[in-house]
Amino acid sequence: MDHGTFKKFVQTHKNAVFSYATYLVRNRQDAEDITQDVFVKLWQNMDKIDKNKTKAWIMRVAHNLCIDQIRRNKSLRSGPSEEGNQAVFVQNPGFHDADPEGYMEFREMQKEILEALARLPEKTRCVLLMHYFQDLKLDTISDIMNENLNTVKVTLHRGRKLLHAELKSRYPDRVGEAQHAYRM
Amino acid sequence: MRTECEQAREWMDLLLENELKQPEKEQLDRHLESCKSCRMMLAEEQSLIQGLRNLKKVPCPDAVIQSILRMTKPERRSWFKRITQAVLQPAFRKPAYAFAGVLAAALLFWLIPKMEMQDTGSELALQETVDSQDLEKSKAQAEWTLLYVSKKLNQAQEKAVKDVVIQDLPETLKNTIKKTVPFFKGGRI
């Protein structure tokens, strides 16, 4: 991969890596540092990486760096920071102007999911984000996390139940809305 | 004994992962039509997954991208480095090593006879040098011998002439020569 191709690759995957890091470490500055480290490492190890598995490779590096950062942050402060969630909600003028009410609801729902996610165990959060948000297959996740495929499946299943329970306990109205939507 | 709802929840998990087969899906649909609680459960889970899928992709700041591109900017490489790096790409590495090995072996086979020939040549050159030195020496010796012989001959000839001349001369002249010619030893015969 020459520098031109690398540049295109960075442009394609920058938001995926940055979002994953932001949602996982919940600190914008840390997420920026992690994103930078991921792509610099990719450039340095270009010769050793299988071209068909480049996305999985960057996600593995991002995941490992996020876990390291979470552990470092845990040793520095107690409890999760709210900064990450605040940093996530950047303005989206088009959406905001067209449907301000819908935008507010969208923001509110994202906030609730992120807050519930933040209360889940680290491994569960990673599996949920990688599978649903990053759209990675379960066998790829098992490679990235160096875990057995069945363990990943079980973690995903339990993660869904835990997240559901967390949301239900904190926002019973929101769950009611889902039921209402289904009936409609 | 497993209830119908427990079986349906298991199928729902498979459905959410797109792993449920058609016959089971039909059975689940039939169950959902009659079971409100399972229907609600499925709706909630689907809503949750949709929420996770729709989480907003956070745009990465341009400053981060600029920093990455600055840090990975390739350095200017010399033509030698460029060629070696191109040749030693992982795909070409093994053939390149094999080619280098064959080239080295060929070079050795080509060089060894050359070196042997060079040794023989140097011996000949040395021999030639030794011969020319001997020749010069012999020449000098011969010249010296020739000079020596000619000198001796001259001396012998001179003595013979003197003897003959002196013996055949009359007594009076001999006496005159004795007195006047100084080149005899002691000035006298």
Side-chain angles (χ1 to χ4, degrees):
Chain A
M1 195 190 281
D2 58 24
H3 199 250
T5 320
F6 170 75
K7 208 171 161 180
K8 278 182 198 161
F9 187 86
V10 172
Q11 291 295 346
T12 312
H13 294 97
K14 60 179 184 177
N15 290 349
V17 174
F18 184 67
S19 306
Y20 181 73
T22 307
Y23 289 142
L24 214 56
V25 297
R26 307 177 71 218
N27 179 304
R28 196 181 177 89
Q29 186 57 51
D30 289 344
E32 285 180 6
D33 291 345
I34 287 167
T35 309
Q36 184 174 297
D37 287 354
V38 168
F39 287 110
V40 171
K41 274 177 196 275
L42 171 70
W43 177 250
Q44 287 166 348
N45 294 284
M46 201 70 82
D47 297 341
K48 300 170 198 164
I49 305 165
D50 182 350
K51 278 179 187 169
N52 301 320
K53 293 181 179 172
T54 315
K55 199 195 169 185
W57 191 90
I58 58 165
M59 287 314 298
R60 182 189 291 125
V61 176
H63 171 76
N64 291 339
L65 290 174
C66 286
I67 298 297
D68 290 347
Q69 191 58 48
I70 290 166
R71 282 173 195 164
R72 261 201 299 275
N73 290 351
K74 263 184 196 167
S75 66
L76 291 173
R77 60 171 180 251
S78 57
S81 153
E82 292 300 315
E83 189 190 347
N85 289 350
Q86 293 303 322
V88 166
F89 301 113
V90 289
Q91 288 295 316
N92 184 341
F95 187 20
H96 190 270
D97 293 345
D99 182 9
E101 217 171 288
Y103 178 66
M104 287 305 288
E105 200 179 325
F106 171 74
R107 271 186 60 159
E108 197 55 39
M109 199 171 152
Q110 286 212 327
K111 200 178 168 191
E112 286 164 10
I113 290 176
L114 287 171
E115 278 173 6
L117 260 180
R119 279 171 174 76
L120 299 188
E122 195 177 281
K123 200 165 117 181
T124 314
R125 202 166 7 140
C126 292
V127 173
L128 285 171
L129 280 173
M130 276 198 260
H131 186 57
Y132 295 120
F133 177 61
Q134 296 284 356
D135 209 20
L136 292 174
K137 287 179 182 165
L138 293 180
D139 53 351
T140 311
I141 298 172
S142 107
D143 274 352
I144 290 171
M145 296 183 74
N146 208 14
E147 294 275 6
N148 185 289
L149 181 61
N150 284 331
T151 312
V152 175
K153 279 183 181 175
V154 171
T155 311
L156 184 75
H157 175 74
R158 282 188 191 155
R160 258 197 341 255
K161 302 287 171 205
L162 278 172
L163 188 62
H164 183 240
E166 186 69 38
L167 278 167
K168 209 169 184 175
S169 68
R170 288 169 65 86
Y171 311 103
D173 295 346
R174 188 65 71 189
V175 178
E177 276 173 29
Q179 291 164 3
H180 177 68
Y182 183 81
R183 271 186 230 115
M184 282 171 78
Chain B
M1 193 184 154
R2 185 182 251 186
T3 63
E4 212 176 304
C5 285
E6 277 172 348
Q7 177 64 69
R9 300 271 157 100
E10 206 172 280
W11 284 337
M12 273 154 57
D13 286 334
L14 291 171
L15 179 77
L16 293 170
E17 292 306 317
N18 295 322
E19 287 176 1
L20 189 66
K21 288 172 186 162
Q22 194 55 35
E24 282 86 12
K25 193 173 179 299
E26 284 165 10
Q27 283 187 54
L28 176 66
D29 284 342
R30 276 199 295 276
H31 175 75
L32 289 175
E33 275 172 22
S34 61
C35 180
K36 190 183 170 189
S37 125
C38 284
R39 205 164 58 225
M40 281 181 183
M41 173 69 87
L42 182 64
E44 284 167 15
E45 293 244 2
Q46 279 173 332
S47 163
L48 184 66
I49 289 171
Q50 205 53 41
L52 282 167
R53 284 196 201 283
N54 287 342
L55 277 178
K56 189 174 164 53
K57 280 240 161 83
V58 192
C60 183
D62 278 345
V64 176
I65 303 304
Q66 293 310 318
S67 170
I68 291 166
L69 295 178
R70 213 170 31 247
M71 285 170 86
T72 57
K73 196 175 178 184
E75 57 188 50
R76 285 181 72 83
R77 293 171 298 166
S78 68
W79 62 269
F80 178 74
K81 210 171 175 183
R82 263 181 278 170
I83 290 170
T84 49
Q85 280 183 355
V87 169
L88 294 178
Q89 288 281 316
F92 302 125
R93 207 166 279 167
K94 277 184 185 171
Y97 286 150
F99 180 70
V102 170
L103 202 67
L107 202 67
L108 271 176
F109 278 114
W110 181 70
L111 268 180
I112 288 168
K114 286 259 171 195
M115 283 163 76
E116 280 175 359
M117 276 174 73
Q118 205 175 7
D119 286 351
T120 321
S122 60
E123 273 172 22
L124 283 170
L126 187 67
Q127 189 63 44
E128 272 174 18
T129 316
V130 171
D131 286 353
S132 69
Q133 280 175 356
D134 283 354
L135 189 69
E136 288 294 316
K137 204 173 166 183
S138 308
K139 229 167 131 182
Q141 203 167 2
E143 274 175 9
W144 183 84
T145 312
L146 197 66
L147 274 171
Y148 179 79
V149 169
S150 70
K151 193 180 169 187
K152 283 289 172 192
L153 273 172
N154 281 342
Q155 282 176 353
Q157 196 180 10
E158 203 174 284
K159 193 171 182 287
V161 168
K162 280 173 195 167
D163 286 351
V164 171
V165 169
I166 288 165
Q167 279 168 16
D168 293 343
L169 283 173
E171 204 62 32
T172 49
L173 194 57
K174 276 185 189 174
N175 289 333
T176 310
I177 290 167
K178 272 183 189 175
K179 288 171 189 167
T180 54
V181 179
F183 56 79
F184 285 105
K185 234 177 184 177
R188 300 284 186 270
I189 294 172

mmCIF file of all heavy atoms in Angstrom, chain A residues 61-82:
data_model
loop_
_atom_site.group_PDB
_atom_site.id
_atom_site.type_symbol
_atom_site.label_atom_id
_atom_site.label_comp_id
_atom_site.label_asym_id
_atom_site.label_seq_id
_atom_site.Cartn_x
_atom_site.Cartn_y
_atom_site.Cartn_z
ATOM 1 N N VAL A 61 -6.361 -3.357 16.817
ATOM 2 C CA VAL A 61 -5.442 -2.394 17.443
ATOM 3 C C VAL A 61 -6.248 -1.354 18.225
ATOM 4 O O VAL A 61 -5.911 -1.041 19.375
ATOM 5 C CB VAL A 61 -4.544 -1.721 16.369
ATOM 6 C CG1 VAL A 61 -3.664 -0.655 16.984
ATOM 7 C CG2 VAL A 61 -3.681 -2.763 15.674
ATOM 8 N N ALA A 62 -7.338 -0.863 17.600
ATOM 9 C CA ALA A 62 -8.172 0.147 18.273
ATOM 10 C C ALA A 62 -8.738 -0.432 19.572
ATOM 11 O O ALA A 62 -8.706 0.228 20.618
ATOM 12 C CB ALA A 62 -9.312 0.581 17.353
ATOM 13 N N HIS A 63 -9.219 -1.679 19.490
ATOM 14 C CA HIS A 63 -9.804 -2.340 20.674
ATOM 15 C C HIS A 63 -8.765 -2.452 21.795
ATOM 16 O O HIS A 63 -9.037 -2.068 22.941
ATOM 17 C CB HIS A 63 -10.315 -3.725 20.265
ATOM 18 C CG HIS A 63 -10.742 -4.572 21.402
ATOM 19 N ND1 HIS A 63 -11.936 -4.371 22.062
ATOM 20 C CD2 HIS A 63 -10.131 -5.619 22.028
ATOM 21 C CE1 HIS A 63 -12.031 -5.250 23.036
ATOM 22 N NE2 HIS A 63 -10.959 -6.018 23.031
ATOM 23 N N ASN A 64 -7.556 -2.934 21.438
ATOM 24 C CA ASN A 64 -6.516 -3.111 22.461
ATOM 25 C C ASN A 64 -6.113 -1.773 23.085
ATOM 26 O O ASN A 64 -5.941 -1.676 24.301
ATOM 27 C CB ASN A 64 -5.286 -3.794 21.862
ATOM 28 C CG ASN A 64 -5.579 -5.235 21.499
ATOM 29 O OD1 ASN A 64 -6.515 -5.835 22.010
ATOM 30 N ND2 ASN A 64 -4.803 -5.790 20.590
ATOM 31 N N LEU A 65 -5.979 -0.746 22.233
ATOM 32 C CA LEU A 65 -5.599 0.577 22.756
ATOM 33 C C LEU A 65 -6.704 1.139 23.658
ATOM 34 O O LEU A 65 -6.406 1.757 24.688
ATOM 35 C CB LEU A 65 -5.317 1.547 21.603
ATOM 36 C CG LEU A 65 -4.039 1.283 20.791
ATOM 37 C CD1 LEU A 65 -3.957 2.214 19.601
ATOM 38 C CD2 LEU A 65 -2.792 1.463 21.642
ATOM 39 N N CYS A 66 -7.970 0.897 23.268
ATOM 40 C CA CYS A 66 -9.094 1.376 24.092
ATOM 41 C C CYS A 66 -9.093 0.694 25.458
ATOM 42 O O CYS A 66 -9.278 1.357 26.484
ATOM 43 C CB CYS A 66 -10.426 1.094 23.386
ATOM 44 S SG CYS A 66 -10.739 2.191 22.013
ATOM 45 N N ILE A 67 -8.884 -0.626 25.452
ATOM 46 C CA ILE A 67 -8.878 -1.372 26.724
ATOM 47 C C ILE A 67 -7.752 -0.842 27.628
ATOM 48 O O ILE A 67 -7.962 -0.606 28.828
ATOM 49 C CB ILE A 67 -8.701 -2.897 26.459
ATOM 50 C CG1 ILE A 67 -9.877 -3.438 25.624
ATOM 51 C CG2 ILE A 67 -8.537 -3.687 27.750
ATOM 52 C CD1 ILE A 67 -11.241 -3.350 26.276
ATOM 53 N N ASP A 68 -6.570 -0.625 27.021
ATOM 54 C CA ASP A 68 -5.446 -0.083 27.806
ATOM 55 C C ASP A 68 -5.819 1.275 28.403
ATOM 56 O O ASP A 68 -5.541 1.551 29.567
ATOM 57 C CB ASP A 68 -4.207 0.090 26.917
ATOM 58 C CG ASP A 68 -3.607 -1.254 26.514
ATOM 59 O OD1 ASP A 68 -4.000 -2.268 27.123
ATOM 60 O OD2 ASP A 68 -2.763 -1.276 25.598
ATOM 61 N N GLN A 69 -6.450 2.119 27.574
ATOM 62 C CA GLN A 69 -6.796 3.473 28.007
ATOM 63 C C GLN A 69 -7.852 3.431 29.121
ATOM 64 O O GLN A 69 -7.743 4.159 30.098
ATOM 65 C CB GLN A 69 -7.320 4.278 26.808
ATOM 66 C CG GLN A 69 -7.458 5.764 27.071
ATOM 67 C CD GLN A 69 -6.147 6.418 27.497
ATOM 68 O OE1 GLN A 69 -5.112 6.209 26.868
ATOM 69 N NE2 GLN A 69 -6.180 7.182 28.580
ATOM 70 N N ILE A 70 -8.847 2.516 28.958
ATOM 71 C CA ILE A 70 -9.893 2.396 29.992
ATOM 72 C C ILE A 70 -9.256 2.004 31.327
ATOM 73 O O ILE A 70 -9.580 2.563 32.380
ATOM 74 C CB ILE A 70 -10.958 1.361 29.563
ATOM 75 C CG1 ILE A 70 -11.787 1.908 28.393
ATOM 76 C CG2 ILE A 70 -11.884 0.989 30.705
ATOM 77 C CD1 ILE A 70 -12.632 0.865 27.686
ATOM 78 N N ARG A 71 -8.312 1.066 31.245
ATOM 79 C CA ARG A 71 -7.650 0.617 32.487
ATOM 80 C C ARG A 71 -6.824 1.741 33.113
ATOM 81 O O ARG A 71 -6.811 1.906 34.318
ATOM 82 C CB ARG A 71 -6.773 -0.604 32.202
ATOM 83 C CG ARG A 71 -7.654 -1.830 32.100
ATOM 84 C CD ARG A 71 -6.959 -3.064 31.657
ATOM 85 N NE ARG A 71 -7.986 -4.041 31.258
ATOM 86 C CZ ARG A 71 -7.749 -5.101 30.547
ATOM 87 N NH1 ARG A 71 -6.528 -5.366 30.127
ATOM 88 N NH2 ARG A 71 -8.720 -5.935 30.228
ATOM 89 N N ARG A 72 -6.153 2.516 32.246
ATOM 90 C CA ARG A 72 -5.365 3.659 32.759
ATOM 91 C C ARG A 72 -6.309 4.673 33.416
ATOM 92 O O ARG A 72 -6.017 5.162 34.501
ATOM 93 C CB ARG A 72 -4.617 4.323 31.608
ATOM 94 C CG ARG A 72 -3.147 3.880 31.506
ATOM 95 C CD ARG A 72 -2.322 4.875 30.725
ATOM 96 N NE ARG A 72 -2.808 5.018 29.361
ATOM 97 C CZ ARG A 72 -2.451 4.220 28.363
ATOM 98 N NH1 ARG A 72 -1.631 3.220 28.580
ATOM 99 N NH2 ARG A 72 -2.919 4.411 27.150
ATOM 100 N N ASN A 73 -7.417 4.962 32.728
ATOM 101 C CA ASN A 73 -8.371 5.940 33.271
ATOM 102 C C ASN A 73 -8.979 5.464 34.584
ATOM 103 O O ASN A 73 -9.206 6.261 35.484
ATOM 104 C CB ASN A 73 -9.501 6.207 32.262
ATOM 105 C CG ASN A 73 -9.000 6.971 31.045
ATOM 106 O OD1 ASN A 73 -7.869 7.443 31.033
ATOM 107 N ND2 ASN A 73 -9.822 7.071 30.019
ATOM 108 N N LYS A 74 -9.233 4.141 34.663
ATOM 109 C CA LYS A 74 -9.820 3.572 35.894
ATOM 110 C C LYS A 74 -8.881 3.805 37.066
ATOM 111 O O LYS A 74 -9.318 4.081 38.178
ATOM 112 C CB LYS A 74 -10.043 2.075 35.708
ATOM 113 C CG LYS A 74 -11.476 1.737 35.308
ATOM 114 C CD LYS A 74 -11.654 0.240 35.243
ATOM 115 C CE LYS A 74 -12.915 -0.104 34.481
ATOM 116 N NZ LYS A 74 -12.964 -1.525 34.137
ATOM 117 N N SER A 75 -7.574 3.677 36.803
ATOM 118 C CA SER A 75 -6.615 3.836 37.894
ATOM 119 C C SER A 75 -6.487 5.320 38.291
ATOM 120 O O SER A 75 -6.061 5.642 39.385
ATOM 121 C CB SER A 75 -5.252 3.277 37.499
ATOM 122 O OG SER A 75 -4.715 4.044 36.454
ATOM 123 N N LEU A 76 -6.874 6.221 37.353
ATOM 124 C CA LEU A 76 -6.748 7.652 37.657
ATOM 125 C C LEU A 76 -7.999 8.223 38.324
ATOM 126 O O LEU A 76 -7.918 9.108 39.152
ATOM 127 C CB LEU A 76 -6.466 8.439 36.374
ATOM 128 C CG LEU A 76 -5.083 8.213 35.752
ATOM 129 C CD1 LEU A 76 -4.982 8.916 34.414
ATOM 130 C CD2 LEU A 76 -3.983 8.728 36.683
ATOM 131 N N ARG A 77 -9.183 7.750 37.894
ATOM 132 C CA ARG A 77 -10.420 8.289 38.474
ATOM 133 C C ARG A 77 -11.444 7.168 38.698
ATOM 134 O O ARG A 77 -11.367 6.116 38.068
ATOM 135 C CB ARG A 77 -11.015 9.362 37.567
ATOM 136 C CG ARG A 77 -11.351 8.850 36.182
ATOM 137 C CD ARG A 77 -12.120 9.883 35.409
ATOM 138 N NE ARG A 77 -12.412 9.343 34.099
ATOM 139 C CZ ARG A 77 -11.832 9.770 32.987
ATOM 140 N NH1 ARG A 77 -10.923 10.704 33.028
ATOM 141 N NH2 ARG A 77 -12.154 9.248 31.832
ATOM 142 N N SER A 78 -12.396 7.440 39.578
ATOM 143 C CA SER A 78 -13.397 6.407 39.841
ATOM 144 C C SER A 78 -14.686 6.753 39.107
ATOM 145 O O SER A 78 -15.115 7.901 39.094
ATOM 146 C CB SER A 78 -13.657 6.325 41.350
ATOM 147 O OG SER A 78 -14.070 7.582 41.813
ATOM 148 N N GLY A 79 -15.276 5.757 38.445
ATOM 149 C CA GLY A 79 -16.544 5.974 37.748
ATOM 150 C C GLY A 79 -16.341 6.565 36.368
ATOM 151 O O GLY A 79 -15.354 7.248 36.109
ATOM 152 N N PRO A 80 -17.291 6.294 35.457
ATOM 153 C CA PRO A 80 -17.144 6.781 34.089
ATOM 154 C C PRO A 80 -17.396 8.284 33.973
ATOM 155 O O PRO A 80 -18.129 8.854 34.773
ATOM 156 C CB PRO A 80 -18.218 5.989 33.330
ATOM 157 C CG PRO A 80 -19.224 5.635 34.354
ATOM 158 C CD PRO A 80 -18.531 5.552 35.662
ATOM 159 N N SER A 81 -16.746 8.874 32.970
ATOM 160 C CA SER A 81 -16.929 10.307 32.747
ATOM 161 C C SER A 81 -18.109 10.534 31.809
ATOM 162 O O SER A 81 -18.406 9.710 30.967
ATOM 163 C CB SER A 81 -15.646 10.850 32.115
ATOM 164 O OG SER A 81 -15.929 11.973 31.357
ATOM 165 N N GLU A 82 -18.779 11.657 31.961
ATOM 166 C CA GLU A 82 -19.910 11.989 31.082
ATOM 167 C C GLU A 82 -19.410 12.744 29.839
ATOM 168 O O GLU A 82 -20.155 12.980 28.909
ATOM 169 C CB GLU A 82 -20.929 12.850 31.831
ATOM 170 C CG GLU A 82 -21.666 12.115 32.946
ATOM 171 C CD GLU A 82 -22.451 10.909 32.458
ATOM 172 O OE1 GLU A 82 -23.144 11.011 31.441
ATOM 173 O OE2 GLU A 82 -22.359 9.839 33.100
#
